[in-house]
Amino acid sequence: MSTLVHLSDLHFGKDRPDLLEPLVSCVNALEPDIVAISGDFTQRARRSQFEEAQDFIQRLNAPVLGVPGNHDVLLDRPFQRFFMPWRRYRKWINTDLTPRFEDDDMVVIGINSVDRFSWQTGKLTAGRIAHACKAMDDTAARKARILVVHHPLQHPNHTKKKPIPGADIALEKLLSCGANLILSGHLHTWHAENFTVESGGTTAIQLHAGTSLSSRVRGEPNDFNLVKITDDQVCVDRLSFNEDKRAFETTEARTFNRASDHQISNEV
């Protein structure tokens, strides 16, 4: 069995400093094989915010795979945003915008969904999708194929943000390439279920994390996900911050059958 911790939307610069120690301690105590962070390391892509994000990453014992979020490119400095959007991200987080991690049970592949010209909605180009598909094609058939992307490819019904343009087409392509689980953030809301696609049949699991550190919550507690991968199941635990206990604790648990990707249990 392999384990993965999924964090998202840290938003250093608009974070809750009182959550930092509980988060680091909890993640390290879980001893995951990999920590995946689905974007928005910073609030406004300032140098000091990236430095804080880098310090946080260095305190985690497990290797970290991250992808940029829209907040990780400068919004208020058009020249830098248009002509050198990834300069600060590459300096403090990772030079690779589409990283890859693999062990005996899974391959984790990052996809950059940020569009410097459409700051909020994002974009998945044909090239980005093809790169992810090639990475999945190069993986042994028995391994779980996990994608990490900032912008969700489907939104829960209660959200008001517009989905990424061309999300349905991108999702169909990524599913046809063998994606089993897609991790995302951006919405600051937690969500775990199977994707719904027009073609029907076997689909992947969509797992959204809320915000792990930001004070910009939308009626939900700060949280993150623990994902356990076995030969036939994907088990998801949502760990939410308990304000009274001052600690992250499991508040929901879902189990999906990897063979069919159908959810088989829902526990609280």
Side-chain angles (χ1 to χ4, degrees):
M1 179 179 74
S2 292
T3 59
L4 175 152
V5 160
H6 171 213
L7 311 177
S8 196
D9 296 81
L10 303 172
H11 286 284
F12 281 100
K14 194 67 174 178
D15 57 301
R16 288 183 53 180
D18 61 310
L19 266 61
L20 185 59
E21 291 299 328
L23 181 61
V24 170
S25 296
C26 187
V27 171
N28 284 339
L30 292 170
E31 298 183 337
D33 297 292
I34 181 76
V35 175
I37 305 179
S38 53
D40 280 357
F41 290 80
T42 68
Q43 176 64 15
R44 280 291 176 260
R46 300 295 189 248
R47 291 184 179 89
S48 60
Q49 295 168 9
F50 274 118
E51 288 172 349
E52 288 183 90
Q54 184 187 62
D55 289 343
F56 169 75
I57 290 170
Q58 291 175 345
R59 294 186 62 191
L60 300 178
N61 296 334
V64 173
L65 180 150
V67 293
N70 56 300
H71 280 262
D72 296 323
V73 296
L74 289 159
L75 173 63
D76 55 352
R77 299 180 185 179
F79 180 85
Q80 294 182 50
R81 175 156 61 98
F82 295 152
F83 296 104
M84 46 185 125
W86 321 117
R87 188 176 191 177
R88 294 183 177 182
Y89 182 90
R90 282 182 160 135
K91 179 176 180 179
W92 280 288
I93 306 300
N94 195 339
T95 57
D96 190 353
L97 303 180
T98 56
R100 186 178 188 273
F101 169 88
E102 187 169 1
D103 68 8
D104 292 340
D105 300 303
M106 61 183 175
V107 60
V108 187
I109 300 158
I111 305 178
N112 178 17
S113 64
V114 178
D115 182 4
R116 75 191 81 176
F117 303 109
S118 180
W119 184 80
Q120 179 65 250
T121 57
K123 184 178 183 180
L124 277 179
T125 64
R128 291 174 178 181
I129 295 170
H131 183 275
C133 285
K134 176 64 167 59
M136 286 189 281
D137 287 343
D138 292 340
T139 303
R142 63 180 180 82
K143 295 186 181 183
R145 290 161 169 77
I146 302 171
L147 303 180
V148 184
V149 60
H150 180 62
H151 295 82
L153 297 182
Q154 282 186 356
H155 285 194
N157 293 332
H158 62 273
T159 60
K160 297 180 180 179
K161 283 188 177 181
K162 294 180 180 179
I164 189 169
D168 291 343
I169 296 173
L171 177 59
E172 291 276 7
K173 179 62 176 175
L174 292 170
L175 294 182
S176 70
C177 292
N180 302 122
L181 171 64
I182 301 180
L183 312 177
S184 59
H186 188 56
L187 302 178
H188 290 211
T189 188
W190 186 85
H191 187 65
E193 67 174 12
N194 295 104
F195 284 104
T196 302
V197 293
E198 291 184 4
S199 59
T202 299
T203 60
I205 305 156
Q206 56 174 314
L207 179 58
H208 306 190
T211 170
S212 302
L213 285 177
S214 177
S215 60
R216 298 173 65 244
V217 294
R218 296 189 172 94
E220 297 187 15
N222 295 86
D223 66 18
F224 69 91
N225 295 310
L226 173 65
V227 181
K228 301 173 185 177
I229 304 293
T230 67
D231 288 342
D232 57 358
Q233 291 183 344
V234 174
C235 302
V236 176
D237 289 348
R238 179 192 189 189
L239 287 88
S240 304
F241 188 70
N242 185 310
E243 298 288 350
D244 295 326
K245 297 180 181 179
R246 309 302 301 166
F248 286 88
E249 61 181 11
T250 301
T251 53
E252 298 191 54
R254 307 276 174 92
T255 300
F256 296 85
N257 188 322
R258 246 187 76 184
S260 64
D261 291 333
H262 293 159
Q263 183 177 317
I264 59 177
S265 72
N266 181 359
E267 303 172 2
V268 178

